[in-house]
Amino acid sequence: MIRYSLIVFVFLLVVDRSIAQQRPVQSLYMFDPILINPAYAGTQVQLSATAIYRNQWVNLEGSPKTLTTSVHSGFLKAKMGLGIIFANDQIGIHNDASFYGIYSYKIKLTPTSTISFGLQGGFNNLKSDYNKLNLKNQADPNLSGVVTKFNPNVGTGIYYRNKAFYLSLSSPQLIKNKVFDVEDPTATSLSRQERYYYALAGSTFKLSDKVKLFPSVLMRFQDEAPVSFDLNSTFVLYDAVGLGVSYRLEEGVVGLFELQLNQNFHVGYAYDFTFS
């Protein structure tokens, strides 16, 4: 299975799926942590915009495609952060479009360390077009027409960082909504959006004047599913070129590349070598 991701960073001022998985996971989330923790909003102070596109199982009809975009900035002398996230996840006949507004508040603990608390609220709009299916039983009431489901949700998170270390704890979606409503009165839908919990930690090591190392680990906890984690390591050369590798438990290995084209624009690419 071939998977690849394309990420485009646009900093307008100054730069600075596992077993039973439901929510899509980007291979380049470490470059935009706001996707998993609302408390990250505004931590860069400047206005930042990011877009990530992920295409899985290339050339297979109905293969998963995910687009996520985010915009956030700091306000009130960087004490407050505001942001928005839009995502569109498509697989087969199913499409999940979501929009969330984000608020964060930052407290300075020491001259070099801060802790941020974040909240987000929004919705997921699920749409399934069963008219695209070739059914053996055309009379099945649950596999006909176009079905939509509007699910509001909220999330929260905590983000701590200092000069050389950061720690993120979050749950972006707390409400366990039904995925869809069953119209057949004799049937019951047990499918729900399960709650996710993320723990992300990373550090910075200066190996020389020209080389820096950025290791990190992400752990995913989902209700009714095993724990999953990623181990990441990225080398940055001359503060311009990033080369990295990521190991995803029982999934595969990801190769990462990042290039700073100028002070305001980054572009990155990830390729997943899967063995699950």
Side-chain angles (χ1 to χ4, degrees), residues 2 79 175 240:
I2 303 174
K79 291 182 178 180
I175 302 175

Side-chain angles (χ1 to χ4, degrees), residues 93-95 126-135 137-149 180-181 183:
I93 66 169
H94 307 289
N95 189 84
L126 308 175
K127 179 181 178 181
S128 300
D129 187 355
Y130 293 101
N131 296 324
K132 297 179 180 179
L133 295 178
N134 296 318
L135 299 175
N137 181 12
Q138 298 292 336
D140 191 329
N142 293 316
L143 296 177
S144 61
V146 178
V147 179
T148 60
K149 185 69 165 64
F180 60 89
D181 293 321
E183 297 180 1

Side-chain angles (χ1 to χ4, degrees), residues 83-152:
I84 57 173
I85 295 177
F86 170 78
N88 191 77
D89 186 39
Q90 184 168 3
I91 177 171
I93 66 169
H94 307 289
N95 189 84
D96 182 3
S98 62
F99 181 84
Y100 284 85
I102 296 174
Y103 168 84
S104 70
Y105 187 80
K106 182 167 57 178
I107 299 175
K108 197 169 187 177
L109 301 178
T110 69
T112 59
S113 65
T114 60
I115 187 169
S116 302
F117 302 89
L119 294 172
Q120 70 178 36
F123 63 86
N124 288 70
N125 190 62
L126 308 175
K127 179 181 178 181
S128 300
D129 187 355
Y130 293 101
N131 296 324
K132 297 179 180 179
L133 295 178
N134 296 318
L135 299 175
K136 292 183 178 180
N137 181 12
Q138 298 292 336
D140 191 329
N142 293 316
L143 296 177
S144 61
V146 178
V147 179
T148 60
K149 185 69 165 64
F150 180 85
N151 288 326

Side-chain angles (χ1 to χ4, degrees), residues 38-266:
Y40 186 78
T43 56
Q44 300 297 330
V45 182
Q46 300 86 3
L47 180 63
S48 300
T50 305
I52 306 178
Y53 176 69
R54 178 175 173 86
N55 190 356
Q56 304 178 70
W57 311 337
V58 178
N59 297 326
L60 291 181
E61 184 179 3
S63 61
K65 296 177 177 62
T66 305
L67 172 67
T68 56
T69 60
S70 70
V71 180
H72 65 101
S73 183
F75 298 90
L76 300 179
K77 297 182 179 180
K79 291 182 178 180
M80 182 180 71
L82 296 175
I84 57 173
I85 295 177
F86 170 78
N88 191 77
D89 186 39
Q90 184 168 3
I91 177 171
I93 66 169
H94 307 289
N95 189 84
D96 182 3
S98 62
F99 181 84
Y100 284 85
I102 296 174
Y103 168 84
S104 70
Y105 187 80
K106 182 167 57 178
I107 299 175
K108 197 169 187 177
L109 301 178
T110 69
T112 59
S113 65
T114 60
I115 187 169
S116 302
F117 302 89
L119 294 172
Q120 70 178 36
F123 63 86
N124 288 70
N125 190 62
L126 308 175
K127 179 181 178 181
S128 300
D129 187 355
Y130 293 101
N131 296 324
K132 297 179 180 179
L133 295 178
N134 296 318
L135 299 175
K136 292 183 178 180
N137 181 12
Q138 298 292 336
D140 191 329
N142 293 316
L143 296 177
S144 61
V146 178
V147 179
T148 60
K149 185 69 165 64
F150 180 85
N151 288 326
N153 219 313
V154 295
T156 186
I158 301 174
Y159 182 77
Y160 167 84
R161 73 168 182 170
N162 57 32
K163 279 188 174 182
F165 174 79
Y166 64 87
L167 174 64
S168 166
L169 302 173
S170 63
S171 182
Q173 295 186 358
L174 294 172
I175 302 175
K176 302 174 71 170
N177 292 304
K178 286 185 178 180
V179 174
F180 60 89
D181 293 321
V182 176
E183 297 180 1
D184 186 349
T186 65
T188 302
S189 172
L190 299 178
S191 181
R192 292 182 177 272
Q193 292 177 314
E194 296 295 343
R195 202 172 287 135
Y196 263 69
Y197 307 93
Y198 294 99
L200 173 65
S203 189
T204 303
F205 296 96
K206 187 175 181 179
L207 304 181
S208 69
D209 292 338
K210 301 177 181 179
V211 181
K212 296 178 182 177
L213 173 62
F214 296 89
S216 65
V217 58
L218 172 68
M219 300 190 69
R220 303 182 194 86
F221 306 89
Q222 179 191 335
D223 292 348
E224 310 299 331
V227 175
S228 177
F229 66 83
D230 293 2
L231 298 176
N232 314 300
S233 183
T234 302
F235 292 90
V236 176
L237 313 176
Y238 300 96
D239 290 325
V241 179
L243 299 173
V245 63
S246 177
Y247 167 76
R248 183 167 298 148
L249 179 65
E250 297 183 348
E251 281 285 321
V253 176
V254 181
L256 306 172
F257 172 77
E258 180 192 9
L259 179 64
Q260 180 174 339
L261 300 180
N262 55 47
Q263 190 178 24
N264 300 319
F265 191 82
H266 284 197

